[in-house]
Amino acid sequence: GSLRGGLYLPIRDELIQLGWGAGSSKAIAGLLAGFLSGVASNPLEVVKIRLLADGSAYPTTIQAVPKLIAEEGLRGYFRGLGLSVSRAAVINMGYLGCYDYSKVALVHILQGPETWRHHVAASLTTGLVAATVSAPLDLLKTRAMHSSASELRGSTIAQLRLVLQDQGGVRGFFRGWLPAYLRMGPHTLICFPIQEQVRAYLGLSYI
């Protein structure tokens, strides 16, 4: 989270300087920042998901590192990488990109100086969007990372078909949406307004 947040602003500002539009620069910056953070964090995501699914899978988190390499090689660390970076990119676009765009749109519509009210309203929108766009990829990523090489059947397309068959159609992709929103909604509602106020206190511009 810290990495994608730290990368978003410089990427967005660079795209704007290159002549990209305000909306497209926010979307692309969110995607790129999420993609890079997804690549960096993928090994830890594999270990985390397997420990959550089976606490006895590895004696400790530290011991999971050599055991995973011994059993599956370095490829084990990058299991589900495509889905992981896709999820990170999409959720970051729906997270930072959506917040940035929503806030600017609200300021424009309401015709006034930017205040904490805009930050709160944009945060509420962001939680809803981020939980919705990430739900299908969350499901696929968890299935891929929890599986061993022998259990993982086929490509991402094959996994999509399996979810459609096993989970009762398209609605299956949104299983767990409510818990995801209950996690992301309060998170965005707290983090973004506080972050904006901290930036203002430090003499920095709003996001």
Side-chain angles (χ1 to χ4, degrees):
S2 299
L3 182 59
R4 70 189 184 196
L7 291 171
Y8 174 76
L9 287 177
I11 293 175
R12 183 202 65 184
D13 293 344
E14 184 64 26
L15 290 173
I16 290 175
Q17 288 183 3
L18 292 173
W20 288 64
S24 58
S25 64
K26 292 175 175 59
I28 298 301
L31 286 170
L32 286 176
F35 175 86
L36 294 172
S37 67
V39 172
S41 64
N42 193 77
L44 295 175
E45 285 287 321
V46 174
V47 172
K48 181 190 77 173
I49 285 175
R50 293 192 180 184
L51 283 173
L52 286 172
D54 181 5
S56 62
Y58 305 109
T60 66
T61 302
I62 295 176
Q63 289 177 309
V65 176
K67 185 175 181 181
L68 184 58
I69 292 178
E71 293 178 349
E72 301 182 38
L74 287 175
R75 292 182 62 184
Y77 266 116
F78 294 98
R79 185 161 311 287
L81 178 64
L83 290 168
S84 182
V85 296
S86 297
R87 175 197 178 271
V90 170
I91 196 174
N92 205 48
M93 180 181 67
Y95 190 72
L96 283 163
C98 177
Y99 172 78
D100 197 357
Y101 186 86
S102 299
K103 183 187 67 171
V104 173
L106 285 168
V107 172
H108 177 73
I109 292 170
L110 298 176
Q111 296 293 318
E114 183 176 334
T115 68
W116 65 269
R117 294 178 178 82
H118 299 96
H119 304 155
V120 170
S123 297
L124 292 170
T125 303
T126 298
L128 182 65
V129 172
T132 301
V133 300
S134 68
L137 291 169
D138 266 335
L139 176 62
L140 291 171
K141 184 195 77 167
T142 301
R143 287 170 65 106
M145 289 185 171
H146 182 246
S147 303
S148 64
S150 60
E151 294 171 332
L152 191 60
R153 296 173 288 169
S155 64
T156 300
I157 299 300
Q159 291 297 309
L160 287 170
R161 291 173 179 165
L162 285 172
V163 172
L164 289 172
Q165 293 172 4
D166 299 343
Q167 306 294 335
V170 175
R171 292 180 60 186
F173 285 110
F174 295 94
R175 291 186 63 183
W177 179 90
L178 183 58
Y181 177 70
L182 292 177
R183 176 175 62 87
M184 291 182 183
H187 179 268
T188 57
L189 185 58
I190 294 171
C191 288
F192 278 125
I194 290 178
Q195 184 179 358
E196 296 280 27
Q197 295 307 309
V198 170
R199 289 179 64 86
Y201 179 78
L202 296 175
L204 301 172
S205 62
Y206 289 133
I207 293 175

